[in-house]
Amino acid sequence: DFLFFWGAVFLITTTLVALLKKENKELTPTKEETKGITDTYRLLFSIIKMPAVLTFCLLILTAKVGFSAADAVTGLKLVEEGVPKEHLALLAVPMVPLQIILPLIISKYTAGPQPLNTFYKAMPFRLLLGLEFAFLVWWTPKVKHEGGFPIYYYVVVLLSYALHQITLYSMYVAIMAFNAKVSDPLIGGTYMTLLNTVSNLGGNWPSTVALWLVDPLTVKECAGAQEQTCGTTVAAEV
């Protein structure tokens, strides 16, 4: 039902955009961006070779390393500690209005001459929330009882997720605003796509590495087997 409802919403909204939105022909560049695939890649390489773009790419490729573990592993660890998956999924529903409202609010602060200021200001708060998520995972088994988890636990999780969304969207909107601002209008599509792709990659690779490192960095103890170690997957199964 959830997927059907939002699928219908996507279809309706995109259809309305297609029918009702008109391009401003006066501002459309007369020159085409590229003539083919080869020209596109030549253009991409010429953009990447610019010193400022190289520095910026390095920044956004490494900026999210500090909170990759908190973003990727927290939900999995909460499920591992006994929090039902359906309860965590339900907590995502109140986040939807927040995710709609946040970009509207944040865009007021990223519309100025220095949109990345919002990115920088949000970063320490997002790092602190990583510590808060670690505390949440540690606290979870301590509040668990036979009937599940108390209401106040879910309130704390919901507030934590809401604060996380504020910092996440502050950084996301800021980086998108900056990419839009610095992209050359004549090759805007190619320029913005490149920067946004690097930005997305900067969020994905640290999460993948964080998930891969969970097992090697997790300390395990064997219960009822004094001489057995549980350091590896095979040993834990034995």
Side-chain angles (χ1 to χ4, degrees):
D1 289 347
F2 179 83
L3 289 172
F4 180 80
F5 172 77
W6 286 110
V9 170
F10 277 127
L11 282 172
I12 292 165
T13 51
T14 49
T15 305
L16 288 172
V17 169
L19 295 173
L20 302 177
K21 180 74 178 81
K22 303 298 180 190
E23 295 291 343
N24 190 341
K25 293 181 180 178
E26 292 177 6
L27 297 177
T28 306
T30 52
K31 186 182 175 184
E32 288 185 15
E33 284 192 8
T34 51
K35 293 177 182 178
I37 295 172
T38 310
D39 288 343
T40 303
Y41 279 100
R42 280 178 186 162
L43 187 60
L44 282 171
F45 283 121
S46 67
I47 294 168
I48 290 169
K49 285 191 287 186
M50 294 164 65
V53 174
L54 276 173
T55 306
F56 179 64
C57 286
L58 185 66
L59 168 73
I60 55 179
L61 277 173
T62 55
K64 296 176 184 177
V65 171
F67 26 78
S68 57
D71 288 2
V73 185
T74 301
L76 298 173
K77 282 295 175 185
L78 292 180
V79 171
E80 193 179 284
E81 296 294 350
V83 181
K85 289 179 185 178
E86 58 270 23
H87 290 182
L88 282 178
L90 278 173
L91 291 177
V93 176
M95 295 295 111
V96 173
L98 189 67
Q99 289 166 354
I100 295 169
I101 294 164
L102 277 173
L104 297 172
I105 298 169
I106 296 163
S107 60
K108 294 178 182 177
Y109 301 96
T110 57
Q114 295 178 314
L116 276 186
N117 281 354
T118 308
F119 183 93
Y120 295 139
K121 287 173 183 174
M123 184 172 273
F125 294 103
R126 193 167 172 187
L127 287 168
L128 285 171
L129 279 168
L131 293 174
E132 198 269 341
F133 277 178
F135 170 77
L136 193 64
V137 172
W138 171 83
W139 183 55
T140 298
K142 300 185 184 303
V143 295
K144 186 181 180 182
H145 52 74
E146 289 183 5
F149 292 88
I151 295 295
Y152 67 82
Y153 170 78
Y154 288 110
V155 171
V156 171
V157 173
L158 186 63
L159 287 172
S160 301
Y161 272 49
L163 289 170
H164 178 257
Q165 288 293 316
I166 292 169
T167 58
L168 187 151
Y169 270 82
S170 294
M171 295 179 72
Y172 176 78
V173 175
I175 208 83
M176 291 295 139
F178 180 80
N179 291 348
K181 193 172 185 63
V182 299
S183 298
D184 184 346
L186 196 62
I187 51 168
T190 307
Y191 212 130
M192 272 200 72
T193 303
L194 171 68
L195 295 179
N196 290 343
T197 302
V198 175
S199 180
N200 290 333
L201 185 63
N204 290 334
W205 80 261
S207 296
T208 306
V209 172
L211 287 168
W212 181 73
L213 287 171
V214 169
D215 259 359
L217 295 178
T218 299
V219 179
K220 299 171 186 174
E221 293 179 4
C222 296
Q226 298 299 327
E227 297 178 3
Q228 189 71 32
T229 61
C230 296
T232 64
T233 308
V234 177
E237 284 175 2
V238 170

